[in-house]
Amino acid sequence: MTYETLGIDTDDRGVATLTLNRPDKHNAMSGQMIVELKQAAEALSSDESVRVVVLTGAGKSFCAGGDLGWMQEQMAADPDTRFVEARKLAEALQALNTMPKPLIGRLQGNAFGGGVGMASVCDVAIGVDSLTMGLTETKLGLIPATIGPYVLSRMGEAMARRVFMSARLFKAPEAVTLGLLAKAVPSDDLDAAVEAEIKPYLACAPGAVARAKALARKLGPVIDDAVIDHTIGELVACWEGQEAKDGIGAFFSKEKPKWAS
């Protein structure tokens, strides 16, 4: 399958690199990318030749979150369309989270909003020590809704509440403390650090790895249809609210929203 917003390259060991490929937009997730992420996750999940998947971004950033143009479209859409689009995002995240292959995040530059969610669905995420992260949704009158279950699962509630509502930016060392990153390394060491995470899996039985991952997910926090539906409802409610209209409008007009001091 050919993708417009993603790249997939698989080496002779069965290590597939899934690359977010909108570098000019800092890999912000457009509607097209969201659809393609689910398709890619499903394709990689069913490909028996793939042993490990590395998730990364092309260019300067890992992922700047949701594409603001896509968000504007949702606020202008009818309610049914909003629910459909929000569900596409939720399903893409769940497809990545339940992929029966080890998913290793390779993060550079920035990871904001949905980019933090993407890091959270990885089994392990490695970032450069200059990485900047942040759950920036509330600055736009939104909330980290569909990514919320994965962020909370990764960080735990106590850690998440330090950054979940404030839109505060933080650097890689704090991301390690918060549990979002397994480690932060100099940029020259990033590939070697990712390779160190890949290598042990190549000596493991693929079926056993898949079953162990599924068991860990089963024993961890519940992320089922009811939870996902609730997050979709919360996101749609924000899209329909005045704060999101004001926040995203202010962003495009390069002004401060009325609540910003």
Side-chain angles (χ1 to χ4, degrees):
M1 182 180 291
T2 301
Y3 302 100
E4 293 181 15
T5 66
L6 305 174
I8 299 179
D9 180 67
T10 304
D11 68 20
D12 56 9
R13 302 176 300 167
V15 178
T17 300
L18 173 59
T19 303
L20 310 177
N21 194 27
R22 299 184 75 214
D24 56 320
K25 300 293 185 181
H26 293 273
N27 300 317
M29 291 185 288
S30 63
Q32 183 68 26
M33 180 181 280
I34 289 166
V35 170
E36 292 184 354
L37 276 169
K38 182 184 178 185
Q39 293 172 341
E42 291 173 343
L44 291 165
S45 294
S46 62
D47 188 340
E48 294 184 359
S49 70
V50 173
R51 302 282 301 274
V52 181
V53 179
V54 176
L55 177 63
T56 191
K60 295 180 179 180
S61 296
F62 173 67
C63 178
D67 184 89
L68 288 171
W70 176 74
M71 292 183 196
Q72 275 191 317
E73 290 173 6
Q74 308 325 308
M75 290 189 295
D78 61 84
D80 289 343
T81 300
R82 292 191 188 109
F83 271 95
V84 168
E85 291 301 307
R87 183 168 295 282
K88 288 178 183 177
L89 175 56
E91 289 178 350
L93 291 166
Q94 184 71 324
L96 289 165
N97 191 54
T98 57
M99 180 186 295
K101 313 287 172 84
L103 182 61
I104 299 170
R106 178 190 179 280
L107 281 66
Q108 82 285 5
N110 300 320
F112 299 141
V116 177
M118 296 282 279
S120 297
V121 300
C122 294
D123 298 303
V124 60
I126 310 295
V128 296
D129 53 13
S130 59
L131 180 72
T132 302
M133 304 184 80
L135 292 152
T136 52
E137 288 87 347
T138 53
K139 278 190 174 180
L140 297 170
L142 298 169
I143 60 173
T146 48
I147 67 171
Y150 310 103
V151 173
L152 269 290
S153 179
R154 173 55 55 85
M155 300 171 68
E157 183 183 350
M159 289 292 189
R161 284 169 66 163
R162 296 185 183 184
V163 294
F164 199 71
M165 304 88 77
S166 68
R168 177 174 66 82
L169 302 184
F170 50 93
K171 291 298 212 177
E174 185 174 1
V176 173
T177 300
L178 292 169
L180 283 170
L181 297 179
K183 62 179 69 172
V185 299
S187 58
D188 289 345
D189 297 337
L190 181 59
D191 289 333
V194 170
E195 181 62 30
E197 297 294 334
I198 293 169
K199 190 173 180 180
Y201 286 112
L202 303 180
C204 296
V209 169
R211 290 181 72 90
K213 179 171 178 176
L215 179 61
R217 184 75 293 283
K218 180 72 173 178
L219 298 175
V222 174
I223 306 176
D224 58 10
D225 289 344
V227 170
I228 291 170
D229 286 346
H230 181 70
T231 68
I232 291 169
E234 288 294 305
L235 178 58
V236 170
C238 285
W239 281 341
E240 293 176 346
Q242 189 60 45
E243 285 188 340
K245 293 181 175 68
D246 292 344
I248 294 177
F251 177 88
F252 279 106
S253 64
K254 295 181 169 51
E255 298 175 352
K256 284 186 177 182
K258 62 180 65 175
W259 62 78
S261 61

